[in-house]
C-alpha cells in the first residue's frame, strides 16, 4: 500500500499519498474507507480530536444503514417504532409501526466507529491538524499529477487526489467553488432527564411542524437524554431561538438543565454547483449534499463519501488532465443520478411544505398511504425519488402541491 515518492526542494523524497481526505465525519470516514479498501494509501486529516460532539439529531434511516461498511455494528441508543406528529403544538397524533422505523445514535461514538473502520481498512489518521488550503499549481506542487494540501503552520502534504469532507463551512468547498442556495439554522439541546421521563419517550420521537415557514422541531430519545432541536431558514435567528425555547417549555422540559446547547448552519448546494476541480472532489456537507426538506444529512454524507472515495482512487490513477476530468465528471454524474434526484424532489417538498404545513400534517396523521410512504422512506424500503417515479398517485400529489397557491382554508400554518 505504499505510495509513490516525489523529490522535494531539498533533494529528499517526500511521500505522495494516493488519496488525502480532509474531515473525519461520516462523509470523510466513508471516503477514506472506500479508498483504503481499494488498496490505496490514504491519509485522513481531522482538525478536532476524536471523539467530538456534532450538532445533529442522530437519526439513522434505512439509506444510512445500507451505506455503512460491512460488519459495522450501529451504536444505537434507541430504536424508533412510533412517531408523534404535531402542528406547532396542536393536533397531536401518534402513528406506530411494528417494524423499526429508524435508529438513534450519538454522533461522537458513531463517527469514531466509522473512522476506526477506515483505519482497519488501511487508512492513516491525523487529528488536530487544520487544512488552510489546497494548491494544484505553483511551487508547492511537484508535477501535474499532484495536489498540495497546506496545513496550518506551513506543512505541506502531497496527494494524487483529495477529497474535501470538511463540513458545511468547507475550505475545500471554497477551492472547488461550491455554490449554495439554501442555508438553514439548526439549534439543539441535549437534556438529561429522570428515568420516568426517559421511559415515556422510549421508542418514540416527536416531529413538530413549526411556526416559521419550512421550520420543524424534534425530540429524539437516547437513553437518559433527550435530543431536542429546531431548524428554520437562516436569517430568522431570534425567532428560531424563541421557537426552541417555546418548544422545550411546551414539552414540560424547561426545568431540566441541558448538558449541551449548540447551533449549526446546514447548507444545500445549488443545482449547478461543481463537485470537483482538477484532482479535488467534495462530498457530504462540504458539497452541500443533504435532503432539503428534512435537512437529513447523514445518509447523504455516507453515500456521497463512498462514491467520492471510489472516484478519488480513479483520479489518483489518472495520468493526464483529460482522464482526470473524465473521472471527475463520472463522479458528478453518479451523485446527480442518485442523490441529486432526491434533492430536487426534496426542494419541491420543502416549497410545498412552507406554504401548506397543515396539509402535510393532515396527510401523515390521517391518510394511510402517506404514513406508509413515510415509514418506507425511513426504513429504506423506498425513497422520495422512487415513490414519485413508481406511484402515479404520489407524482400527482406532488404536482398538485407544486401548483397550490395558498394554504387550505381553515387550516392554520
Amino acid at each position: 500500500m505504499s505510495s509513490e515518492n516525489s523529490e522535494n526542494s531539498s533533494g529528499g523524497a517526500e511521500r505522495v499519498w494516493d488519496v488525502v481526505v480532509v474531515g473525519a465525519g461520516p462523509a470523510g470516514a466513508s471516503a477514506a474507507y472506500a479508498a483504503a479498501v481499494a488498496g490505496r494509501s490514504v491519509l485522513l486529516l481531522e482538525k478536532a480530536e476524536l471523539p467530538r460532539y456534532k450538532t445533529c439529531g442522530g437519526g439513522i434511516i434505512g439509506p444510512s444503514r445500507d451505506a455503512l461498511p460491512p460488519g459495522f455494528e450501529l451504536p444505537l441508543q434507541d430504536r424508533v417504532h412510533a412517531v408523534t406528529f404535531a402542528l406547532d403544538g396542536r393536533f397531536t397524533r401518534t402513528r406506530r409501526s411494528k417494524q423499526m422505523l429508524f435508529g438513534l445514535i450519538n454522533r461522537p461514538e458513531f463517527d469514531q466507529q466509522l473512522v476506526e473502520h477506515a483505519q482497519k481498512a488501511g487508512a492513516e489518521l491525523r487529528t488536530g491538524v487544520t487544512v488552510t488550503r489546497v494548491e494544484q499549481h505553483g511551487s508547492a506542487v511537484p508535477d501535474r499529477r499532484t495536489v498540495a494540501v497546506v496545513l496550518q503552520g506551513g506543512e505541506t502534504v502531497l496527494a494524487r487526489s483529495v477529497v474535501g469532507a470538511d463540513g458545511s463551512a468547507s475550505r475545500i468547498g471554497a477551492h472547488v467553488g461550491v455554490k449554495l442556495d439554501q442555508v438553514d439554522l439548526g439549534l439543539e439541546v441535549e437534556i438529561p432527564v429522570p428515568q420516568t421521563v426517559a421511559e415515556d419517550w422510549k421508542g418514540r420521537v416527536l416531529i413538530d411542524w413549526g411556526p416559521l415557514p419550512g421550520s420543524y422541531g424534534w425530540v429524539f430519545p437516547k437513553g437518559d437524554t433527550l435530543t431536542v432541536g429546531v431548524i428554520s431558514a437562516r436569517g430568522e435567528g431570534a425567532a428560531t431561538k424563541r421557537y426552541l425555547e417555546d418548544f422545550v417549555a411546551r414539552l414540560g422540559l424547561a426545568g431540566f438543565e441541558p448538558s449541551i446547547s449548540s447551533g449549526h448552519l446546514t447548507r444545500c448546494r445549488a443545482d449547478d454547483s461543481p463537485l470537483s476541480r482538477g484532482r479535488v472532489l467534495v462530498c457530504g456537507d462540504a458539497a452541500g449534499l443533504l435532503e432539503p426538506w428534512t435537512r437529513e444529512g447523514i445518509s447523504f454524507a455516507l453515500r456521497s463519501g463512498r462514491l467520492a472515495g471510489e472516484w478519488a482512487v480513479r483520479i489518483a490513477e489518472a495520468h493526464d488532465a483529460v482522464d482526470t476530468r473524465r473521472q471527475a465528471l463520472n463522479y458528478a454524474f453518479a451523485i446527480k443520478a442518485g442523490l441529486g434526484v432526491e434533492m430536487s424532489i426534496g426542494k419541491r417538498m420543502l416549497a410545498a411544505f412552507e406554504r401548506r404545513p397543515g396539509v402535510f400534517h393532515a396527510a401523515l396523521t390521517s391518510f394511510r398511504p402517506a404514513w406508509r410512504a413515510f415509514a418506507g422512506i425511513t426504513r429504506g424500503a423506498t425513497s422520495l425519488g422512487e415513490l414519485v417515479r413508481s406511484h402515479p398517485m404520489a407524482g400527482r400529489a406532488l404536482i398538485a402541491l407544486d401548483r397550490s397557491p395558498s394554504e387550505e382554508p381553515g387550516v392554520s400554518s
Side-chain angles (χ1 to χ4, degrees):
M1 284 215 261
S2 64
S3 54
E4 300 169 47
N5 290 332
S6 173
E7 293 294 315
N8 64 19
S9 55
S10 60
E14 189 173 355
R15 180 169 194 182
V16 181
W17 297 85
D18 292 323
V19 180
V20 168
V21 180
V22 182
S30 294
Y33 175 85
V37 159
R40 298 300 180 268
S41 61
V42 180
L43 178 63
L44 179 57
L45 302 173
E46 167 58 44
K47 67 180 177 184
E49 297 298 337
L50 298 174
R52 50 97 178 91
Y53 181 78
K54 175 83 165 62
T55 306
C56 175
I60 299 295
I61 59 174
S64 299
R65 190 190 57 240
D66 295 343
L68 292 167
F72 190 97
E73 297 263 335
L74 274 167
L76 291 182
Q77 301 297 309
D78 205 343
R79 291 168 168 79
V80 177
H81 287 264
V83 182
T84 298
F85 294 101
L87 184 62
D88 195 19
R90 297 164 300 142
F91 311 119
T92 303
R93 182 163 181 199
T94 300
R95 307 294 308 243
R96 300 183 187 279
S97 168
K98 287 178 183 171
Q99 290 176 273
M100 184 176 92
L101 294 165
F102 56 97
L104 298 173
I105 50 94
N106 286 323
R107 280 291 299 277
E109 292 167 75
F110 177 71
D111 290 13
Q112 174 78 39
Q113 215 167 298
L114 281 169
V115 168
E116 285 168 5
H117 271 259
Q119 287 176 288
K120 281 177 199 158
E124 202 168 299
L125 172 70
R126 277 183 67 183
T127 57
V129 288
T130 299
V131 172
T132 58
R133 66 186 186 279
V134 291
E135 295 180 6
Q136 301 196 61
H137 309 282
S139 57
V141 184
D143 58 60
R144 290 181 178 178
R145 288 190 61 213
T146 308
V147 182
V149 180
V150 183
L151 310 182
Q152 205 167 44
E155 182 189 347
T156 298
V157 177
L158 299 179
R160 293 281 175 240
S161 66
V162 172
V163 175
D166 48 336
S168 62
S170 168
R171 293 196 176 178
I172 312 300
H175 172 80
V176 165
V178 171
K179 293 189 285 185
L180 305 158
D181 72 356
Q182 179 187 325
V183 184
D184 294 293
L185 170 65
L187 300 176
E188 195 168 73
V189 285
E190 302 282 350
I191 305 178
V193 292
Q195 191 177 352
T196 49
V197 177
E199 279 297 319
D200 183 48
W201 284 98
K202 190 172 172 58
R204 177 175 67 94
V205 301
L206 169 64
I207 296 175
D208 178 81
W209 312 118
L212 303 164
S215 69
Y216 74 96
W218 61 88
V219 179
F220 285 180
K222 297 168 187 174
D224 58 2
T225 299
L226 298 178
T227 298
V228 183
V230 301
I231 196 160
S232 183
R234 182 191 189 178
E236 297 282 352
T240 306
K241 189 167 182 288
R242 199 159 51 246
Y243 175 28
L244 178 61
E245 289 167 357
D246 293 347
F247 187 43
V248 169
R250 188 198 305 152
L251 293 164
L253 300 171
F256 303 116
E257 188 66 33
S259 57
I260 295 172
S261 186
S262 66
H264 177 66
L265 290 176
T266 66
R267 297 173 167 95
C268 250
R269 71 187 291 273
D271 287 340
D272 61 344
S273 179
L275 290 159
S276 67
R277 179 178 170 187
R279 291 177 171 265
V280 179
L281 304 176
V282 284
C283 60
D285 284 346
L289 292 166
L290 71 157
E291 204 287 302
W293 176 34
T294 62
R295 290 79 153 189
E296 189 278 321
I298 295 177
S299 78
F300 279 70
L302 292 168
R303 291 181 284 173
S304 65
R306 186 178 64 192
L307 289 170
E310 290 168 357
W311 258 277
V313 167
R314 294 177 178 123
I315 286 172
E317 293 166 349
H319 285 279
D320 57 38
V322 174
D323 195 18
T324 300
R325 180 75 181 139
R326 184 186 305 121
Q327 300 303 342
L329 286 170
N330 285 340
Y331 168 66
F333 179 77
I335 291 289
K336 289 172 185 174
L339 300 178
V341 170
E342 290 179 38
M343 287 185 74
S344 65
I345 295 171
K347 283 180 183 176
R348 289 168 66 190
M349 295 285 281
L350 176 64
F353 172 67
E354 285 173 343
R355 291 193 306 266
R356 312 181 73 185
V359 172
F360 279 76
H361 181 70
L364 283 164
T365 55
S366 307
F367 187 50
R368 193 175 292 275
W371 164 249
R372 277 204 300 264
F374 176 90
I377 289 166
T378 59
R379 283 200 293 261
T382 187
S383 69
L384 268 175
E386 283 170 21
L387 269 174
V388 172
R389 269 196 310 270
S390 58
H391 290 72
M393 189 167 72
R396 285 198 298 273
L398 190 53
I399 290 165
L401 285 166
D402 283 341
R403 289 175 180 159
S404 298
S406 62
E407 182 62 71
E408 282 287 278
V411 179
S412 167
S413 62

